[in-house]
């Protein structure tokens, strides 16, 4: 391989079905990733807020322009104006990849308002608008009961979705089934589906986070190493089911916490979105790049994890019903984090308004 630039770059070159994304829409981050084979990028309220703070000289001008153009706007209006602008501008960096792969790669994921997680109609309305920001947009919606409904409708309307706030096999299956229903409705009306590229995120690091929190709260004692493998076990099980059933949707891993969240997925027909810090860590590590997607999780760790009712909710395809998704600990923690991240962005805007 010419111009070797680290282990993630090697992964992208040697295993082209294992897509590597950048978990950011920042200028520096995207440039770094594009030099090392990324084929997609993600954003959310926390990411956009961090990018704006990091690139404040650039975005400050945009904030002031929006304030001048929208004299009656609320701070929320300005915040979303910035988010839309970030989507429009940074998606352009991925357009050459999008065109090369005819829509199957090269998309920027942009998230609907996290406050809408209980309202399918509001998510759908915003998803359709977000999809209009660029040719290569991908719209993130939380995998709540309402979100699953919105994903089917958005798919029917030609939106390539990215399910987020998702941690479990049950959510991943519900998402894939919703997408299949939406695609089938399009096919019946002879609407195009060939260039659509739906994905379902499993935030495997946050699955681990929740199970660690649960074990601590319940005063349980387990082999601590097993808790580093919970998310890996979940996404490997979801991957097995996806392949068995032939879903159109592809899986996307997120929220790296250890090298297993990369190394154990190599060789899979899936994507992994990795934040800038973990890109650098992985590129500099000495872990061998080899196909591990079909390697089972050590039964010793699974035996330990199976002692936990919360692991069964995470791992079993029937572990939860859609109405239970938003009660799962990882969902509650993550949606709260997203809402707080959005609040931080609004506070930044407020400083320019008052």
């Amino acid at each position: 391989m010419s111009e070797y630039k680290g282990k993630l770059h090697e992964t992208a070159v040697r295993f082209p079905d294992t897509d590597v994304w950048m978990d950011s829409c920042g200028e520096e981050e995207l440039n770094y990733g594009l030099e090392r084979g990324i084929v997609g990028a993600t954003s959310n309220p926390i990411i956009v807020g961090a990018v704006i703070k990091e690139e404040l000289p650039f975005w400050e001008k945009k904030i002031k322009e929006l304030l001048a153009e929208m004299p009656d706007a609320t701070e929320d209006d300005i915040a979303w104006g910035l988010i839309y602008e970030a989507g429009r501008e940074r998606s352009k960096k991925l357009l050459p990849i999008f065109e090369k792969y005819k829509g199957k790669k090269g998309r920027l994921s942009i998230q609907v308002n996290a406050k809408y997680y209980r309202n399918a109609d509001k998510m759908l309305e915003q998803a359709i608008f977000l999809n209009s920001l660029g040719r290569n947009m991908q719209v993130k919606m939380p995998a709540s009961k309402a979100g699953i409904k919105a994903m089917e409708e958005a798919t029917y309307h030609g939106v390539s979705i990215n399910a987020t706030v998702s941690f479990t096999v049950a959510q991943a299956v519900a998402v894939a089934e919703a997408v299949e229903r939406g695609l089938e409705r399009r096919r019946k009306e002879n609407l195009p589906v060939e260039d659509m590229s739906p994905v379902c995120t499993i935030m495997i690091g946050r699955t681990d986070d929740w199970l660690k929190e649960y074990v601590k709260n319940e005063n349980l004692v387990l082999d601590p190493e097993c808790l580093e493998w919970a998310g890996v076990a979940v996404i490997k099980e979801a991957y097995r089911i996806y392949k068995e059933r032939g879903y159109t949707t592809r899986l996307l891993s997120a929220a790296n916490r250890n090298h297993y969240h990369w190394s154990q997925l190599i060789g899979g027909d899936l994507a992994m979105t990795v934040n800038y810090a973990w890109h650098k860590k992985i590129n500099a590590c000495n872990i061998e790049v080899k196909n591990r997607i079909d390697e089972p999780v050590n039964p010793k760790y699974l035996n330990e994890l199976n002692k936990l009712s919360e692991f069964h909710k995470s791992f079993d395809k029937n572990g939860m019903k859609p109405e239970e998704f938003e009660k799962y600990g990882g969902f509650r923690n993550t949606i709260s984090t997203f809402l707080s991240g959005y609040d931080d962005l609004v506070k930044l805007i407020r400083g320019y308004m008052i």
Side-chain angles (χ1 to χ4, degrees):
M1 181 173 63
S2 63
E3 297 186 48
Y4 174 80
K5 295 182 179 179
K7 297 292 184 173
L8 270 178
H9 184 215
E10 183 181 350
T11 302
V13 172
R14 288 182 51 203
F15 297 95
D17 288 339
T18 306
D19 294 344
V20 179
W21 294 12
M22 178 62 72
D23 202 25
S24 175
C25 58
E27 182 91 9
E28 179 181 335
E29 292 93 325
L30 288 174
N31 289 341
Y32 175 94
L34 288 167
E35 291 174 359
R36 291 163 178 81
I38 67 165
V39 292
T42 49
S43 67
N44 61 38
I46 298 171
I47 289 172
V48 172
V51 166
I52 288 170
K53 290 175 184 176
E54 182 67 25
E55 304 173 2
L56 195 56
F58 174 81
W59 290 106
E60 186 173 56
K61 180 181 177 183
K62 297 289 183 182
I63 294 169
K64 291 178 178 178
E65 286 175 357
L66 287 169
L67 288 169
E69 293 167 6
M70 305 163 66
D72 299 326
T74 66
E75 55 196 18
D76 293 282
D77 295 332
I78 302 299
W80 279 101
L82 274 182
I83 293 169
Y84 298 151
E85 185 68 18
R88 284 191 194 95
E89 289 303 310
R90 297 301 160 79
S91 65
K92 294 174 184 176
K93 283 184 165 289
L94 295 161
L95 264 177
I97 300 167
F98 176 83
E99 291 167 351
K100 177 180 178 180
Y101 290 98
K102 297 179 171 55
K104 295 300 184 183
K105 303 178 195 264
R107 292 180 181 269
L108 174 68
S109 287
I110 187 168
Q111 189 165 317
V112 300
N113 193 332
K115 293 181 179 181
Y116 295 164
Y117 74 94
R118 298 177 64 187
N119 191 310
D121 291 338
K122 287 186 176 180
M123 280 189 271
L124 174 62
E125 180 182 7
Q126 192 177 28
I128 292 170
F129 176 76
L130 290 170
N131 193 53
S132 73
L133 295 176
R135 291 166 52 208
N136 57 332
M137 305 307 296
Q138 192 167 44
V139 181
K140 298 174 75 173
M141 287 176 275
S144 58
K145 181 181 178 181
I148 301 297
K149 179 181 177 182
M151 288 176 216
E152 176 181 342
E153 295 304 317
T155 300
Y156 168 68
H157 282 85
V159 178
S160 288
I161 65 95
N162 178 352
T164 187
V165 201
S166 174
F167 320 88
T168 70
V169 175
Q171 287 175 291
V173 170
V175 168
E177 292 285 352
V179 170
E180 292 301 322
R181 292 191 297 269
L183 291 172
E184 184 58 27
R185 289 165 59 191
R186 285 184 67 79
R187 292 187 187 102
K188 285 181 178 178
E189 296 183 20
N190 294 316
L191 296 170
V193 299
E194 294 76 19
D195 62 349
M196 294 179 67
S197 181
V199 297
C200 176
T201 299
I202 302 184
M203 306 179 84
I204 54 178
R206 288 181 175 269
T207 305
D208 290 356
D209 291 347
W210 166 240
L211 290 176
K212 290 174 185 177
E213 182 179 332
Y214 174 77
V215 166
K216 180 180 179 180
N217 291 343
E218 296 297 314
N219 291 315
L220 301 174
V221 177
L222 279 78
D223 179 346
E225 181 65 9
C226 77
L227 295 170
E228 303 298 326
W229 286 87
V232 171
V234 165
I235 199 166
K236 283 183 181 256
E237 175 66 2
Y239 183 79
R240 181 190 68 78
I241 293 170
Y242 269 45
K243 287 301 165 188
E244 183 180 88
R245 299 185 180 182
Y247 290 136
T248 305
T249 304
R250 298 174 78 221
L251 290 170
L252 171 68
S253 70
N256 285 67
R257 299 291 188 267
N258 58 51
H259 80 75
Y260 307 139
H261 295 161
W262 152 69
S263 61
Q264 283 293 316
L265 306 183
I266 296 172
D269 180 10
L270 47 69
M272 53 180 78
T273 184
V274 182
N275 69 36
Y276 194 25
W278 271 99
H279 263 268
K280 291 182 173 180
K281 286 180 185 180
I282 294 171
N283 277 327
C285 80
N286 60 4
I287 306 297
E288 182 183 1
V289 176
K290 68 175 188 177
N291 190 324
R292 296 187 183 88
I293 187 63
D294 294 321
E295 291 182 4
V297 173
N298 189 324
K300 171 186 171 183
Y301 300 143
L302 284 176
N303 288 339
E304 284 284 275
L305 290 166
N306 276 318
K307 297 174 183 177
L308 306 175
S309 60
E310 289 298 305
F311 180 68
H312 288 284
K313 289 181 183 179
S314 311
F315 184 85
D316 297 347
K317 66 178 182 292
N318 299 316
M320 289 187 293
K321 297 176 181 178
E323 54 267 26
E324 297 174 298
F325 291 164
E326 63 195 65
K327 302 300 182 185
Y328 179 80
F331 189 105
R332 289 186 283 111
N333 290 346
T334 302
I335 202 74
S336 295
T337 300
F338 283 167
L339 291 168
S340 295
Y342 173 70
D343 290 343
D344 289 342
L345 176 58
V346 170
K347 287 177 185 176
L348 185 149
I349 302 299
R350 190 178 301 149
Y352 288 91
M353 293 184 74
I354 298 176

